[in-house]
Amino acid sequence: MLLDILMSYLKFFVSMLIYRHISRQEFALRWLFFFAVVFTLVPPVGFFGYFLVFIAYSFYRNRNIRHLLNIFYGLYPVVMESLIGRLLAFYVFPMLGIVLVHEAYVSWYDALLELLVFPVYLGLTKLLKLDFTDLKVGFQRQYFNRFLLPMDLSMFVYMVSVVGLVVFADAIPHSDALREHLNSIYLILFFVMLLYFNAVSKERLKQEILEQKDRQLQELSTYSQHVEMLYGEIRAFRHDYLNILTSLKLSIEHEDLNAIREVYEN
């Protein structure tokens, strides 16, 4: 039981780290302890609730953003944890000669998988140059309105398929092989979609910066023209003012009071 609780903490903590990485939002540690204990003590709740808790938390934290984006933030850590974990179990560990030698070591084997999920995830995102700061801005500015729904649906279908293959493993022939193929195909598809989102975000943000610079140059040009116009008005005023002073000077020198009065009144 203690090892099961620790595994729940570890699995949930890894998903929390991935959630924070994609959403750029902190996840209070009290939720880690609460959900991990509940999921361990009530197995059905733990098994199915794990797939929904991040969606619920995202809606709780982000009441002012679109529902599809909240669903994306909620499904992303669960899907990514599943993809990376199965990538390690199906391909990386066998290549390194790490095998499960006895059923008694299942929990330790799973713990090793979970400990490596987040470092491998960070390594893949750096290798693929995925910038989640730009990606989040792209989501907030609705660059991907047409693609968020298919993305969310694909993640949902993937998780339902994985759960179905696990729950009905005995009834489905070659369920392990099917899960392996499903993971491989969706892992590639998922990162291709992320790369596309990332490229679009960078390009759109770059375009916005260029447009902003163009607007600033245009505004600077307009301001310069306005200053030049004001300077011309000042020069014209100075010219007229000097003419008036000259007229007054001549009138004063000739003591012509009528001329002085006429200049003053005009």
Side-chain angles (χ1 to χ4, degrees):
M1 176 64 73
L2 179 60
L3 194 56
D4 291 339
I5 294 176
L6 291 176
M7 276 301 303
S8 296
Y9 280 144
L10 185 57
K11 187 180 184 69
F12 200 81
F13 183 68
V14 169
S15 299
M16 280 175 51
L17 293 177
I18 298 175
Y19 176 86
R20 185 177 65 174
H21 188 253
I22 181 64
S23 68
R24 294 298 191 262
Q25 294 175 348
E26 294 295 330
F27 205 112
L29 288 178
R30 65 178 179 272
W31 295 108
L32 169 65
F33 295 105
F34 174 75
F35 286 119
V37 170
V38 170
F39 290 171
T40 304
L41 297 180
V42 189
V45 174
F47 186 78
F48 294 103
Y50 169 71
F51 303 113
L52 302 175
V53 66
F54 288 98
I55 297 177
Y57 183 79
S58 186
F59 273 94
Y60 168 74
R61 283 293 303 270
N62 308 298
R63 296 181 178 88
N64 297 324
I65 67 175
R66 291 169 301 149
H67 295 338
L68 289 177
L69 185 53
N70 275 324
I71 294 172
F72 174 82
Y73 284 156
L75 287 175
Y76 180 89
V78 179
V79 169
M80 188 59 72
E81 186 273 338
S82 173
L83 288 171
I84 300 297
R86 285 175 169 79
L87 173 68
L88 291 171
F90 292 145
Y91 301 105
V92 178
F93 277 16
M95 288 174 58
L96 297 177
I98 302 174
V99 295
L100 184 62
V101 296
H102 196 278
E103 290 297 326
Y105 299 105
V106 169
S107 295
W108 297 107
Y109 183 83
D110 291 342
L112 179 60
L113 279 175
E114 290 297 333
L115 288 172
L116 291 175
V117 165
F118 192 65
V120 171
Y121 165 73
L122 289 180
L124 283 174
T125 56
K126 289 185 180 298
L127 179 65
L128 298 174
K129 297 181 180 180
L130 291 172
D131 189 337
F132 287 95
T133 301
D134 289 347
L135 199 61
K136 184 176 181 180
V137 173
F139 282 130
Q140 291 173 342
R141 296 186 182 181
Q142 302 184 16
Y143 293 161
F144 316 112
N145 283 347
R146 294 179 300 169
F147 302 103
L148 260 182
L149 179 58
M151 185 74 164
D152 290 348
L153 285 175
S154 72
M155 288 192 289
F156 180 77
V157 170
Y158 167 77
M159 291 310 306
V160 169
S161 301
V162 168
V163 171
L165 290 172
V166 171
V167 173
F168 302 105
D170 295 335
I172 300 175
H174 311 295
S175 61
D176 290 340
L178 289 175
R179 272 189 293 145
E180 181 177 344
H181 295 323
L182 174 64
N183 189 83
S184 302
I185 294 170
Y186 192 69
L187 180 67
I188 296 172
L189 178 63
F190 192 66
F191 274 102
V192 166
M193 288 188 288
L194 289 178
L195 286 170
Y196 172 76
F197 287 167
N198 190 65
V200 170
S201 291
K202 287 183 180 294
E203 185 63 29
R204 291 282 187 89
L205 291 174
K206 182 180 178 181
Q207 186 65 32
E208 285 187 7
I209 292 173
L210 292 175
E211 290 175 356
Q212 185 177 6
K213 287 182 178 179
D214 290 340
R215 285 196 300 270
Q216 289 175 343
L217 289 174
Q218 182 63 37
E219 290 171 357
L220 182 60
S221 176
T222 303
Y223 176 74
S224 299
Q225 293 173 4
H226 182 65
V227 170
E228 184 67 26
M229 182 187 69
L230 291 177
Y231 183 68
E233 292 177 357
I234 291 172
R235 282 189 300 178
F237 173 79
R238 181 174 179 273
H239 180 266
D240 295 341
Y241 182 71
L242 288 176
N243 289 339
I244 292 172
L245 289 179
T246 301
S247 298
L248 284 174
K249 180 177 181 297
L250 293 174
S251 299
I252 292 171
E253 289 176 351
H254 291 87
E255 297 182 354
D256 188 347
L257 186 60
N258 290 329
I260 294 174
R261 182 180 291 110
E262 182 180 356
V263 171
Y264 171 76
E265 289 177 351
N266 290 333

